[in-house]
Short mmCIF file of all heavy atoms in Angstrom, two decimals:
data_model
loop_
_atom_site.label_atom_id
_atom_site.label_comp_id
_atom_site.label_asym_id
_atom_site.label_seq_id
_atom_site.Cartn_x
_atom_site.Cartn_y
_atom_site.Cartn_z
N ALA V 189 120.33 90.81 -71.32
CA ALA V 189 119.40 91.66 -70.55
C ALA V 189 118.73 92.67 -71.47
O ALA V 189 117.55 93.00 -71.31
CB ALA V 189 120.17 92.38 -69.46
N LEU V 190 119.46 93.15 -72.45
CA LEU V 190 118.90 94.11 -73.40
C LEU V 190 117.79 93.42 -74.22
O LEU V 190 116.70 93.95 -74.36
CB LEU V 190 119.99 94.63 -74.31
CG LEU V 190 119.57 95.53 -75.49
CD1 LEU V 190 119.13 96.90 -74.95
CD2 LEU V 190 120.65 95.71 -76.51
N HIS V 191 118.09 92.23 -74.75
CA HIS V 191 117.13 91.56 -75.60
C HIS V 191 115.92 91.03 -74.82
O HIS V 191 114.83 90.99 -75.35
CB HIS V 191 117.79 90.44 -76.41
CG HIS V 191 118.59 91.02 -77.54
ND1 HIS V 191 118.06 91.26 -78.79
CD2 HIS V 191 119.88 91.47 -77.57
CE1 HIS V 191 118.98 91.82 -79.55
NE2 HIS V 191 120.09 91.97 -78.84
N ARG V 192 116.13 90.69 -73.56
CA ARG V 192 114.98 90.20 -72.73
C ARG V 192 114.30 91.37 -72.03
O ARG V 192 113.42 91.14 -71.20
CB ARG V 192 115.48 89.14 -71.73
CG ARG V 192 116.06 87.90 -72.36
CD ARG V 192 115.14 87.22 -73.36
NE ARG V 192 113.90 86.70 -72.74
CZ ARG V 192 112.84 86.25 -73.44
NH1 ARG V 192 112.91 86.23 -74.78
NH2 ARG V 192 111.77 85.83 -72.82
N ASN V 193 114.73 92.59 -72.33
CA ASN V 193 114.10 93.80 -71.75
C ASN V 193 114.12 93.84 -70.23
O ASN V 193 113.10 94.11 -69.60
CB ASN V 193 112.66 93.93 -72.30
CG ASN V 193 112.08 95.30 -72.06
OD1 ASN V 193 112.84 96.24 -71.72
ND2 ASN V 193 110.81 95.48 -72.22
N VAL V 194 115.25 93.53 -69.64
CA VAL V 194 115.37 93.67 -68.19
C VAL V 194 116.53 94.60 -67.82
O VAL V 194 117.10 94.52 -66.75
CB VAL V 194 115.54 92.30 -67.47
CG1 VAL V 194 114.23 91.56 -67.47
CG2 VAL V 194 116.63 91.47 -68.12
N SER V 195 116.91 95.48 -68.78
CA SER V 195 118.00 96.39 -68.48
C SER V 195 117.59 97.81 -68.87
O SER V 195 118.06 98.36 -69.85
CB SER V 195 119.23 95.97 -69.28
OG SER V 195 120.24 96.91 -69.17
N ASP V 196 116.64 98.34 -68.12
CA ASP V 196 116.08 99.64 -68.48
C ASP V 196 115.62 100.31 -67.19
O ASP V 196 114.47 100.20 -66.79
CB ASP V 196 114.92 99.41 -69.46
CG ASP V 196 114.33 100.71 -69.97
OD1 ASP V 196 114.81 101.78 -69.54
OD2 ASP V 196 113.38 100.64 -70.76
N SER V 197 116.55 101.04 -66.54
CA SER V 197 116.20 101.59 -65.22
C SER V 197 115.06 102.60 -65.34
O SER V 197 114.31 102.76 -64.40
CB SER V 197 117.44 102.24 -64.61
OG SER V 197 117.99 103.18 -65.48
N VAL V 198 114.92 103.26 -66.49
CA VAL V 198 113.86 104.24 -66.64
C VAL V 198 112.49 103.55 -66.57
O VAL V 198 111.51 104.09 -66.06
CB VAL V 198 114.02 105.03 -67.95
CG1 VAL V 198 112.87 105.97 -68.17
CG2 VAL V 198 115.35 105.76 -67.95
N ASN V 199 112.46 102.30 -67.08
CA ASN V 199 111.18 101.59 -67.08
C ASN V 199 111.06 100.50 -66.02
O ASN V 199 110.32 99.53 -66.18
CB ASN V 199 110.91 101.02 -68.47
CG ASN V 199 110.61 102.10 -69.47
OD1 ASN V 199 109.72 102.93 -69.22
ND2 ASN V 199 111.36 102.16 -70.55
N GLY V 200 111.83 100.64 -64.94
CA GLY V 200 111.58 99.80 -63.77
C GLY V 200 112.35 98.49 -63.70
O GLY V 200 111.99 97.62 -62.92
N THR V 201 113.39 98.33 -64.50
CA THR V 201 114.25 97.15 -64.33
C THR V 201 115.64 97.66 -63.97
O THR V 201 115.85 98.86 -63.72
CB THR V 201 114.30 96.25 -65.56
OG1 THR V 201 114.63 97.06 -66.69
CG2 THR V 201 112.96 95.56 -65.82
N LEU V 202 116.63 96.77 -63.90
CA LEU V 202 117.96 97.21 -63.42
C LEU V 202 118.72 98.00 -64.49
O LEU V 202 118.54 97.76 -65.69
CB LEU V 202 118.80 95.97 -63.06
CG LEU V 202 118.37 95.24 -61.76
CD1 LEU V 202 119.13 93.93 -61.64
CD2 LEU V 202 118.68 96.11 -60.55
N SER V 203 119.59 98.90 -64.03
CA SER V 203 120.43 99.63 -65.00
C SER V 203 121.51 98.69 -65.54
O SER V 203 121.83 97.67 -64.93
CB SER V 203 121.10 100.82 -64.32
OG SER V 203 122.03 100.34 -63.36
N SER V 204 122.02 99.10 -66.68
CA SER V 204 123.11 98.35 -67.29
C SER V 204 124.28 98.24 -66.30
O SER V 204 124.95 97.22 -66.19
CB SER V 204 123.54 99.15 -68.50
OG SER V 204 124.23 98.38 -69.39
N TYR V 205 124.49 99.35 -65.56
CA TYR V 205 125.57 99.39 -64.57
C TYR V 205 125.35 98.34 -63.48
O TYR V 205 126.27 97.62 -63.08
CB TYR V 205 125.59 100.79 -64.00
CG TYR V 205 126.43 101.02 -62.77
CD1 TYR V 205 127.83 100.90 -62.83
CD2 TYR V 205 125.83 101.38 -61.57
CE1 TYR V 205 128.59 101.13 -61.69
CE2 TYR V 205 126.60 101.64 -60.43
CZ TYR V 205 127.97 101.49 -60.50
OH TYR V 205 128.74 101.73 -59.40
N ALA V 206 124.06 98.19 -63.03
CA ALA V 206 123.76 97.20 -61.99
C ALA V 206 124.09 95.77 -62.50
O ALA V 206 124.62 94.96 -61.74
CB ALA V 206 122.32 97.31 -61.59
N TRP V 207 123.77 95.54 -63.77
CA TRP V 207 124.10 94.20 -64.33
C TRP V 207 125.62 93.99 -64.32
O TRP V 207 126.11 92.89 -64.06
CB TRP V 207 123.55 94.02 -65.75
CG TRP V 207 122.05 93.78 -65.75
CD1 TRP V 207 121.08 94.64 -66.17
CD2 TRP V 207 121.35 92.61 -65.31
NE1 TRP V 207 119.82 94.09 -66.01
CE2 TRP V 207 119.96 92.82 -65.48
CE3 TRP V 207 121.77 91.38 -64.76
CZ2 TRP V 207 118.99 91.88 -65.14
CZ3 TRP V 207 120.79 90.42 -64.41
CH2 TRP V 207 119.42 90.68 -64.60
N SER V 208 126.38 95.04 -64.61
CA SER V 208 127.86 94.92 -64.54
C SER V 208 128.31 94.55 -63.15
O SER V 208 129.20 93.74 -62.95
CB SER V 208 128.53 96.22 -64.97
OG SER V 208 128.14 96.60 -66.25
N ILE V 209 127.66 95.16 -62.13
CA ILE V 209 128.02 94.89 -60.73
C ILE V 209 127.69 93.40 -60.41
O ILE V 209 128.49 92.70 -59.76
CB ILE V 209 127.28 95.83 -59.77
CG1 ILE V 209 127.66 97.29 -60.07
CG2 ILE V 209 127.54 95.47 -58.30
CD1 ILE V 209 129.10 97.66 -59.79
N LEU V 210 126.54 92.93 -60.94
CA LEU V 210 126.19 91.53 -60.70
C LEU V 210 127.22 90.60 -61.34
O LEU V 210 127.58 89.56 -60.80
CB LEU V 210 124.81 91.23 -61.25
CG LEU V 210 123.62 91.87 -60.49
CD1 LEU V 210 122.28 91.55 -61.14
CD2 LEU V 210 123.59 91.36 -59.03
N VAL V 211 127.74 91.00 -62.52
CA VAL V 211 128.77 90.21 -63.18
C VAL V 211 130.05 90.14 -62.32
O VAL V 211 130.59 89.08 -62.10
CB VAL V 211 129.08 90.78 -64.59
CG1 VAL V 211 130.35 90.17 -65.17
CG2 VAL V 211 127.92 90.54 -65.53
N ILE V 212 130.46 91.30 -61.81
CA ILE V 212 131.68 91.35 -60.96
C ILE V 212 131.48 90.46 -59.72
O ILE V 212 132.33 89.67 -59.38
CB ILE V 212 131.99 92.80 -60.51
CG1 ILE V 212 132.17 93.74 -61.71
CG2 ILE V 212 133.20 92.85 -59.59
CD1 ILE V 212 133.42 93.54 -62.52
N ASN V 213 130.30 90.61 -59.09
CA ASN V 213 130.05 89.80 -57.88
C ASN V 213 130.13 88.31 -58.23
O ASN V 213 130.71 87.52 -57.49
CB ASN V 213 128.66 90.15 -57.35
CG ASN V 213 128.25 89.18 -56.25
OD1 ASN V 213 128.79 89.18 -55.15
ND2 ASN V 213 127.28 88.31 -56.55
N HIS V 214 129.53 87.94 -59.37
CA HIS V 214 129.55 86.52 -59.72
C HIS V 214 130.98 86.03 -59.94
O HIS V 214 131.33 84.95 -59.47
CB HIS V 214 128.67 86.29 -60.98
CG HIS V 214 128.64 84.87 -61.39
ND1 HIS V 214 128.04 83.89 -60.59
CD2 HIS V 214 129.13 84.18 -62.45
CE1 HIS V 214 128.17 82.70 -61.17
NE2 HIS V 214 128.81 82.86 -62.32
N LEU V 215 131.74 86.84 -60.64
CA LEU V 215 133.12 86.40 -60.91
C LEU V 215 133.97 86.38 -59.63
O LEU V 215 134.89 85.58 -59.51
CB LEU V 215 133.79 87.31 -61.99
CG LEU V 215 133.11 87.17 -63.39
CD1 LEU V 215 133.73 88.17 -64.36
CD2 LEU V 215 133.23 85.78 -63.92
N GLN V 216 133.61 87.24 -58.67
CA GLN V 216 134.32 87.17 -57.37
C GLN V 216 133.91 85.88 -56.67
O GLN V 216 134.76 85.13 -56.17
CB GLN V 216 133.91 88.37 -56.49
CG GLN V 216 134.55 89.66 -56.88
CD GLN V 216 134.05 90.85 -56.03
OE1 GLN V 216 132.97 90.81 -55.45
NE2 GLN V 216 134.86 91.91 -55.95
N GLU V 217 132.61 85.58 -56.70
CA GLU V 217 132.14 84.35 -56.04
C GLU V 217 132.73 83.11 -56.70
O GLU V 217 132.99 82.11 -56.03
CB GLU V 217 130.61 84.27 -56.10
CG GLU V 217 129.89 85.21 -55.16
CD GLU V 217 128.40 84.93 -55.08
OE1 GLU V 217 128.00 83.95 -54.47
OE2 GLU V 217 127.62 85.71 -55.70
N GLN V 218 132.97 83.19 -58.01
CA GLN V 218 133.54 82.04 -58.74
C GLN V 218 135.06 82.01 -58.68
O GLN V 218 135.70 81.22 -59.38
CB GLN V 218 133.10 82.07 -60.19
CG GLN V 218 131.59 81.90 -60.44
CD GLN V 218 131.11 80.53 -59.97
OE1 GLN V 218 131.69 79.52 -60.30
NE2 GLN V 218 130.05 80.53 -59.18
N GLN V 219 135.65 82.89 -57.91
CA GLN V 219 137.10 82.94 -57.76
C GLN V 219 137.83 83.20 -59.06
O GLN V 219 138.91 82.65 -59.33
CB GLN V 219 137.64 81.59 -57.16
CG GLN V 219 137.15 81.31 -55.74
CD GLN V 219 137.65 82.38 -54.79
OE1 GLN V 219 138.84 82.66 -54.68
NE2 GLN V 219 136.73 83.04 -54.12
N VAL V 220 137.21 84.04 -59.94
CA VAL V 220 137.88 84.40 -61.21
C VAL V 220 138.66 85.68 -60.96
O VAL V 220 139.79 85.87 -61.50
CB VAL V 220 136.85 84.59 -62.34
CG1 VAL V 220 137.51 85.12 -63.62
CG2 VAL V 220 136.12 83.28 -62.63
N ILE V 221 138.10 86.57 -60.16
CA ILE V 221 138.78 87.86 -59.89
C ILE V 221 138.80 88.13 -58.39
O ILE V 221 137.91 87.66 -57.66
CB ILE V 221 138.04 89.05 -60.61
CG1 ILE V 221 136.52 88.99 -60.34
CG2 ILE V 221 138.33 89.05 -62.09
CD1 ILE V 221 135.75 90.19 -60.88
#
Side-chain angles (χ1 to χ4, degrees):
L190 174 73
H191 284 271
R192 297 305 296 170
N193 195 13
V194 286
S195 173
D196 183 359
S197 55
V198 176
N199 289 308
T201 53
L202 288 170
S203 67
S204 199
Y205 168 65
W207 284 109
S208 302
I209 299 294
L210 290 178
V211 167
I212 302 289
N213 170 70
H214 182 65
L215 294 176
Q216 285 176 337
E217 285 190 75
Q218 295 297 310
Q219 296 298 305
V220 174
I221 49 173

